[in-house]
Amino acid sequence: MGSLSDLNTFCLYMVHKYGRPDLASEEQKAEEFRQIYFGQLPVNKRSLGAAAHACGLNVDARPMPHNVRGYHEMVDGRMSLYYREDDCKRGIENTIPHEIREMMEHVFVDLCPEYRPLRTSALHLAANRFATALLLPRDEFRSQAYRTGFDLIALGKLYPRSYSQLLL
């Protein structure tokens, strides 16, 4: 298949591997993304920015209203994502993969005509699940969840993420 140097190629890889985008769970999409773009690197603001750039995305901070954490745009074949410049590190770390997943949806539609794109609310939830799966590795997180007896406060100390993200 060649180099996975852009988001289109990653999405094409997913379509070839799973048949259709909806046949892969958000966790599977995130795991594939993690293996290809992160390897053994930690998933943090810096590595997320590098992965986005490796996907051919422009990433930039912008001033935004308080209730907006990020957005993306696709103009003349150039894909860009933006995060709120005054957001906390963890918020930015969630926004980047969230927006990447939302951009994937546009690419999946172009690559796979029989695929029915997710509606706005379903896409937002899918993007949240993708970001969560990327930021909280399933096996490690599951092990810690059992070890802590599903104590959300204890998990929050181990994984500095929002409680809503830990619940996902």
Side-chain angles (χ1 to χ4, degrees), residues 108-129:
F108 286 145
V109 169
D110 290 342
L111 292 175
C112 198
E114 68 275 10
Y115 174 64
R116 298 182 66 105
L118 298 172
R119 294 188 180 270
T120 303
S121 59
L123 178 56
H124 184 72
L125 180 57
N128 283 342
R129 290 184 64 133

Side-chain angles (χ1 to χ4, degrees), residues 29-103:
K29 290 175 185 114
E31 185 56 34
E32 295 284 352
F33 196 87
R34 175 195 301 283
Q35 288 178 14
I36 291 168
Y37 294 105
F38 294 91
Q40 298 301 312
L41 292 174
V43 180
N44 56 36
K45 181 181 172 186
R46 185 177 186 160
S47 62
L48 283 162
H53 287 292
C55 288
L57 309 176
N58 177 51
V59 179
D60 199 11
R62 295 264 169 101
M64 294 181 199
H66 180 69
N67 61 341
V68 177
R69 287 199 116 150
Y71 66 95
H72 64 273
E73 62 184 7
M74 301 168 85
V75 178
D76 297 327
R78 181 75 177 141
M79 296 185 281
S80 299
L81 71 82
Y82 306 98
Y83 59 86
R84 194 173 79 219
E85 67 183 1
D86 62 347
D87 203 355
C88 65
K89 179 183 168 200
R90 299 301 182 198
I92 294 166
E93 290 173 350
N94 186 71
T95 297
I96 293 172
H98 178 100
E99 295 301 323
I100 288 172
R101 174 59 184 93
E102 287 187 354
M103 284 188 275

Side-chain angles (χ1 to χ4, degrees), residues 2 5 8 23 32 39 67 76 78 125 138 142 144 151 154:
S5 61
N8 291 346
L23 297 178
E32 295 284 352
N67 61 341
D76 297 327
R78 181 75 177 141
L125 180 57
R138 177 181 222 144
R142 178 186 295 134
Q144 292 296 343
D151 181 337

Side-chain angles (χ1 to χ4, degrees), residues 27 125 127-130 132 136 141 163-168:
E27 291 77 12
L125 180 57
N128 283 342
R129 290 184 64 133
F130 176 84
T132 297
L136 298 170
F141 184 78
Y163 290 131
S164 62
Q165 190 164 50
L166 293 172
L167 288 169
L168 272 176

